[in-house]
Amino acid sequence: MERMVILTGAGISRESGLDTFRDEGGIWSRIRLEDVCTPEGFARDPDTVDDFYNKRRRELSTAEPNAAHRALADLEAAYGNMTDDAFLLITQNIDDLHERAGSENLVHIHGELLRLRCLNCGATPLWATDCQRNTPCPACGQPHLRPDVVWFGELPLHMERIQRALERCEVFVAIGTSATVYPAAGFVDEVSGQARTVELNLVPSGNAGLFDEVSYGEATTIVPRFVRDYLAENLL
Ligand code: APR
């Protein structure tokens, strides 16, 4: 099996009922990202930020992984026990649908919706319910919790591990992302010429011209097809 890196975005969770950001009617068409997805917005009005993420946690609690999430878990399983990131799934999504579908070699470059971070003691507790300004940290008891997600202007996570995997990958697949936000939007550029690059999306992303292969349609159709064809060609 070839060394593979997969990058997913909000489009892979769309058919699980979770909104994307930039499609028509998407999240950023309803609320200003400056108000809920920046440190300045949180400092200015933390209650609005709490409400935004509380609503998304409630939506996630009734969402299920879809066939695209499951297909990526099946693809990872075909790699068996890995000593290194021969297969690495990088998601920009903060939902836990990849985990619930069975993915394990996975990093959340923008953090996790079901985790908070204590600004007093640094604890990062799992958290599936609402959080308010007076919610005490389970570790230190202080009421200084924030979502453990990466806001605009903050450093993305797991970048050393991501760079190592990108430097050695032979196949790079971008799924359900508009290629709007860096550094994730720049990964295809980094591996072009070294890896075979594939875009699986509803419509061409801003990076479409950079990919060797493209396939357009709904993720629950095109991702299982990609995985089935790849395994048929590579599992001799
Ligand atoms: N199947 C496949 N792709 C889809 C589907 C679907 N059913 N529905 C939508 N898409 C595609 C859209 O065509 C679009 O290209 O998914 C992409 C979603 O793009 P965005 O909404 O911009 O989401 P994403 O690329 O993940 O955004 C990146 O921006 O706001 C930040 O932190 C946030 O992680 C997010 C980052």
Side-chain angles (χ1 to χ4, degrees):
M1 303 278 276
E2 296 163 294
R3 301 186 66 87
M4 188 178 292
V5 171
I6 294 187
L7 171 69
T8 61
I12 200 169
S13 297
R14 182 71 197 83
E15 292 158 88
S16 293
L18 300 182
D19 284 338
T20 61
F21 294 94
R22 296 173 181 86
D23 287 322
E24 192 178 336
I27 294 172
W28 299 145
S29 70
R30 298 196 300 271
I31 190 164
R32 282 170 19 98
L33 70 83
E34 294 78 5
D35 292 341
V36 295
C37 208
T38 64
E40 296 77 11
F42 182 65
R44 191 168 53 244
D45 182 354
D47 293 329
T48 294
V49 174
D50 284 340
D51 293 345
F52 175 68
Y53 288 97
N54 290 344
K55 181 172 179 293
R56 291 179 70 193
R57 270 186 223 97
R58 284 184 229 127
E59 288 166 353
L60 180 54
S61 69
T62 60
E64 292 296 328
N66 62 50
H69 297 105
R70 290 194 295 273
L72 295 184
D74 293 344
L75 179 55
E76 176 182 333
Y79 280 75
N81 294 323
M82 286 176 270
T83 53
D84 63 359
D85 288 334
F87 174 97
L88 182 63
L89 172 53
I90 304 165
T91 187
Q92 298 174 92
N93 301 338
I94 59 176
D95 66 55
D96 66 337
L97 297 179
H98 282 305
E99 289 90 333
R100 283 199 265 148
S103 290
E104 295 178 359
N105 237 43
L106 161 72
V107 289
H108 285 268
I109 190 172
H110 293 158
E112 297 174 62
L113 178 59
L114 299 184
R115 208 176 273 283
L116 298 178
R117 180 165 12 115
C118 178
L119 297 173
N120 178 57
C121 72
T124 53
L126 286 169
W127 203 272
T129 57
D130 285 4
C131 171
Q132 271 85 28
R133 284 306 83 217
N134 60 358
T135 301
C137 167
C140 72
Q142 293 299 308
H144 301 301
L145 291 162
R146 62 159 275 183
D148 192 25
V149 300
V150 178
W151 287 331
F152 286 94
E154 296 184 327
L155 287 176
L157 305 175
H158 312 292
M159 287 307 290
E160 283 183 21
R161 179 175 178 187
I162 288 171
Q163 288 302 340
R164 275 200 309 276
L166 288 173
E167 281 159 12
R168 298 183 293 176
C169 82
E170 297 164 292
V171 183
F172 175 82
V173 187
I175 302 172
T177 180
S178 64
T180 311
V181 174
Y182 287 79
F187 291 164
V188 61
D189 239 351
E190 287 187 44
V191 302
S192 288
Q194 143 205 339
R196 180 161 65 86
T197 55
V198 182
E199 176 169 85
L200 307 178
N201 213 52
L202 189 63
V203 296
S205 76
N207 273 348
L210 297 176
F211 287 88
D212 299 320
E213 298 166 31
V214 295
S215 176
Y216 298 116
E218 297 208 309
T220 55
T221 301
I222 61 177
V223 176
R225 182 191 308 151
F226 170 80
V227 170
R228 187 190 60 234
D229 293 350
Y230 187 83
L231 292 180
E233 288 158 23
N234 290 276
L235 271 189
L236 302 176

